[in-house]
């Protein structure tokens, strides 16, 4: 009997521990949502503030706008002198002229080489009521004219590439120049053969002296129109 009592005690302890295990498992299962909720809190907290990518894009946009405004301020505070502006206009015209000559000759040569290698015997003797050789000549001339018209595009790109530092200031000065032209040019509605409009767009103005002469021509046109009326 002395040995039975400890056995009962030990078995009772085991039964108590076994009884406590399900309750412990239930408490852990019920406590899991609270742990999950505790991890959900930082996500909701982060939604209230911008992410790192948003902050970087905002700073990048602000820096770009600041650089553009600073460049505009420099162009406004340091305008291009008028003599330099007219010199750049003459240079740009030379670029356009040389490019037009080059593209016109190239297009003419390519068209002549292409049409010259055609077998004339396999083609009809006339097209659209014209002789075949006449049609070939018109086609070659048309290709040359098209190449000539494409020249200023290439010349303008070359000019901007060679003078990229002063092109923005030149554009601003060109706006001022055309504003002066628009303000002082005459009304072309009353022009006639004896009193034509003198350089309506100011294309022949290449210096300050020529601009003053242009103003005189505008005033002379207005005087002739007043006397005629």
């Amino acid at each position: 009997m002395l040995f039975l009592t400890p056995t009962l005690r030990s078995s009772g302890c085991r039964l108590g521990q076994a009884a406590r295990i399900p309750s412990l498992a239930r408490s852990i299962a019920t406590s899991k949502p609270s742990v999950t909720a505790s991890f959900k809190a930082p996500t909701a907290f982060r939604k209230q503030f911008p992410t790192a990518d948003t902050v970087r894009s905002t700073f990048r946009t602000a820096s770009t706008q600041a650089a553009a405004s600073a460049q505009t301020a420099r162009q406004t505070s340091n305008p291009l002198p008028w003599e330099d502006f007219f010199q750049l206009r003459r240079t740009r015209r030379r670029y356009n002229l040389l490019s037009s000559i080059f593209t016109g000759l190239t297009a003419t040569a390519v068209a002549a080489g292409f049409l010259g290698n055609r077998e004339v015997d396999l083609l009809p003797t006339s097209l659209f009521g014209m002789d075949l050789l006449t049609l070939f000549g018109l086609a070659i001339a048309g290709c040359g004219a098209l190449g000539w018209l494409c020249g200023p595009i290439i010349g303008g790109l070359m000019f901007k590439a060679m003078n990229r530092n002063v092109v923005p200031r030149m554009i601003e000065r060109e706006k001022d120049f055309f504003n002066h032209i628009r303000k002082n040019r005459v009304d072309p509605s009353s022009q006639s053969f004896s009193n034509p409009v003198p350089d309506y767009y100011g294309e022949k103005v290449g210096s300050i002296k020529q601009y003053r002469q242009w103003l005189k021509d505008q005033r002379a046109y207005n005087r002739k129109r007043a006397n005629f009326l």
Side-chain angles (χ1 to χ4, degrees):
M1 294 298 292
L2 294 175
F3 296 100
L4 292 174
T5 303
T7 305
L8 291 174
R9 290 178 181 176
S10 61
S11 61
C13 292
R14 292 193 187 98
L15 290 173
Q17 292 175 358
R20 287 196 298 272
I21 287 173
S23 62
L24 180 62
R26 285 195 299 272
S27 64
I28 292 173
T30 56
S31 64
K32 283 183 179 180
S34 62
V35 174
T36 306
S38 65
F39 281 101
K40 288 182 180 180
T43 305
F45 178 76
R46 286 195 299 270
K47 289 181 179 180
Q48 299 177 359
F49 296 92
T51 60
D53 295 335
T54 305
V55 173
R56 282 195 294 267
S57 63
T58 303
F59 276 108
R60 191 180 299 112
T61 304
S63 62
T64 303
Q65 293 177 354
S69 61
Q71 184 178 3
T72 304
R74 285 195 300 268
Q75 294 174 5
T76 306
S77 60
N78 187 21
L80 189 69
W82 284 109
E83 291 295 341
D84 296 342
F85 166 70
F86 288 122
Q87 179 63 36
L88 288 172
R89 285 191 75 192
R90 288 192 293 269
T91 304
R92 185 175 59 184
R93 287 177 181 175
R94 295 192 189 100
Y95 273 88
N96 294 340
L97 178 61
L98 293 176
S99 298
S100 295
I101 294 173
F102 174 76
T103 54
L105 293 177
T106 302
T108 302
V110 171
F114 175 77
L115 295 176
N117 293 328
R118 301 295 94 189
E119 294 183 4
V120 183
D121 297 335
L122 300 179
L123 297 175
T125 56
S126 63
L127 291 174
F128 305 107
M130 292 186 294
D131 184 64
L132 193 61
L133 295 178
T134 303
L135 189 63
F136 278 9
L138 292 176
I140 293 171
C143 291
L146 183 62
W148 176 274
L149 294 177
C150 293
I153 300 176
I154 301 175
L157 294 176
M158 292 176 60
F159 176 79
K160 290 180 179 179
M162 297 296 293
N163 302 275
R164 63 172 62 93
N165 295 327
V166 296
V167 165
R169 297 167 62 195
M170 181 183 177
I171 293 174
E172 293 297 325
R173 183 58 80 183
E174 199 163 25
K175 292 179 181 179
D176 297 338
F177 174 72
F178 284 122
N179 288 333
H180 284 287
I181 295 295
R182 190 181 300 111
K183 180 181 178 181
N184 296 298
R185 65 188 176 188
V186 298
D187 184 12
S189 60
S190 58
Q191 66 176 338
S192 61
F193 290 103
S194 60
N195 190 23
V197 175
D199 194 9
Y200 185 74
Y201 295 101
E203 297 177 350
K204 298 179 182 179
V205 177
S207 63
I208 296 177
K209 182 179 179 181
Q210 291 179 358
Y211 175 71
R212 291 171 180 169
Q213 182 62 41
W214 181 84
L215 291 176
K216 293 179 181 179
D217 294 339
Q218 306 302 309
R219 289 193 292 267
Y221 175 88
N222 288 329
R223 284 195 299 269
K224 283 185 179 181
R225 185 184 63 177
N227 294 331
F228 180 76
L229 294 176

